Amino acid sequence: DGGITQSPKYLFRKEGQNVTLSCEQNLNHDAMYWYRQDPGQGLRLIYYSQIVNDFQKGDIAEGYSVSREKKESFPLTVTSAQKNPTAFYLCAIQGGPGTEAFFGQGTRLTVV
Amino acid sequence: QQQVKQSPQSLIVQKGGISIINCAYENTAFDYFPWYQQFPGKGPALLIAIRPDVSEKKEGRFTISFNKSAKQFSLHIMDSQPGDSATYFCAGRRDSWGKLQFGAGTQVVVTP
């Protein structure tokens, strides 16, 4: 996993509840990313952050929020405004411009 | 819109055979084209990558062929093994900070 820890591995929530997914890294990498994966689809970018206290929307940010208060942590909150929250969520990190991006093992969120 | 189109959606190949996955992209600003391998329930792992100024890159049994004028690239898996059974994603990188645009994925099954 290259020093990326996503937790929990599985998460169940009732519809209408907010839920926060954890992504922690111990490689001192600058950039962190959140992607969403749905069956039969590629990964889609939700949010990304290149420095502490700064983050940018990706392609599908609606219904999600993030924070980057510490370099090693980039939590993702799936809010009740997200229409179809059930998915596999993947966090990625990158050391700097032009370097490789590495993914965590993912969190599978099921909303019932 | 889908900026990276990947085909086929799935393929079955016999052990020892060649697996070929094709991708086409639209965004000429992509500066880097990685391929990721993903096993069920796991995060994607970088397999091999190429830059647009190179026409071919080979690492072991895996080869990327790149055609810049046609905006197409492909992954060849030579001497396919059952352990290669996985989902493969192509991607294009939009800038050096690693915002990736993924294809929809190809599920490869290698039969004994």
Side-chain angles (χ1 to χ4, degrees):
Chain A
D1 60 9
I4 314 171
T5 301
Q6 287 191 244
S7 60
K9 188 174 176 67
Y10 300 96
L11 193 53
F12 295 87
R13 278 296 181 270
K14 291 184 177 180
E15 192 172 338
Q17 290 181 335
N18 291 356
V19 60
T20 297
L21 283 59
S22 171
C23 179
E24 304 276 331
Q25 55 113 350
N26 60 8
L27 298 178
N28 200 39
H29 279 9
D30 290 320
M32 299 185 75
Y33 305 81
W34 276 106
Y35 286 86
R36 169 183 172 137
Q37 185 177 18
D38 295 283
Q41 296 189 36
L43 286 69
R44 292 180 290 167
L45 182 63
I46 305 173
Y47 267 99
Y48 62 98
S49 168
Q50 294 164 359
I51 57 173
V52 175
N53 292 322
D54 187 55
F55 49 83
Q56 305 296 328
K57 293 182 179 180
D59 300 318
I60 56 165
E62 185 176 350
Y64 299 97
S65 66
V66 294
S67 63
R68 186 86 185 277
E69 297 177 0
K70 299 184 294 183
K71 190 173 186 179
E72 60 268 27
S73 179
F74 190 41
L76 174 73
T77 296
V78 184
T79 75
S80 56
Q82 168 50 230
K83 297 279 189 275
N84 298 294
T86 294
F88 191 44
Y89 290 88
L90 289 154
C91 177
I93 63 175
Q94 185 185 18
T99 62
E100 306 297 346
F102 297 98
F103 285 84
Q105 294 300 291
T107 292
R108 186 166 300 282
L109 172 65
T110 303
V111 176
V112 296
Chain B
Q1 74 276 20
Q2 189 178 5
Q3 293 192 23
V4 180
K5 295 184 179 180
Q6 184 172 346
S7 63
Q9 189 173 7
S10 62
L11 68 92
I12 300 174
V13 61
Q14 285 191 333
K15 179 181 176 181
I18 302 173
S19 303
I20 301 175
I21 306 170
N22 300 299
C23 287
Y25 65 97
E26 299 172 2
N27 190 343
T28 55
F30 287 157
D31 69 344
Y32 177 75
F33 298 86
W35 284 89
Y36 285 85
Q37 179 189 56
Q38 185 180 34
F39 294 103
K42 303 294 186 183
L46 180 66
L47 186 63
I48 186 172
I50 197 168
R51 299 190 186 278
D53 54 349
V54 177
S55 61
E56 185 175 282
K57 184 174 181 180
K58 182 176 181 180
E59 290 184 1
R61 295 184 295 108
F62 300 93
T63 300
I64 301 177
S65 297
F66 189 86
N67 186 330
K68 188 174 181 178
S69 60
K71 293 190 287 185
Q72 295 176 347
F73 58 111
S74 60
L75 176 70
H76 291 60
I77 306 175
M78 312 300 287
D79 186 26
S80 296
Q81 300 297 312
D84 297 333
S85 297
T87 300
Y88 293 82
F89 293 95
C90 62
R93 190 173 69 185
R94 287 178 272 187
D95 61 38
S96 62
W97 271 109
K99 296 190 291 292
L100 297 167
Q101 194 82 39
F102 283 85
T106 297
Q107 184 174 17
V108 174
V109 175
V110 182
T111 60

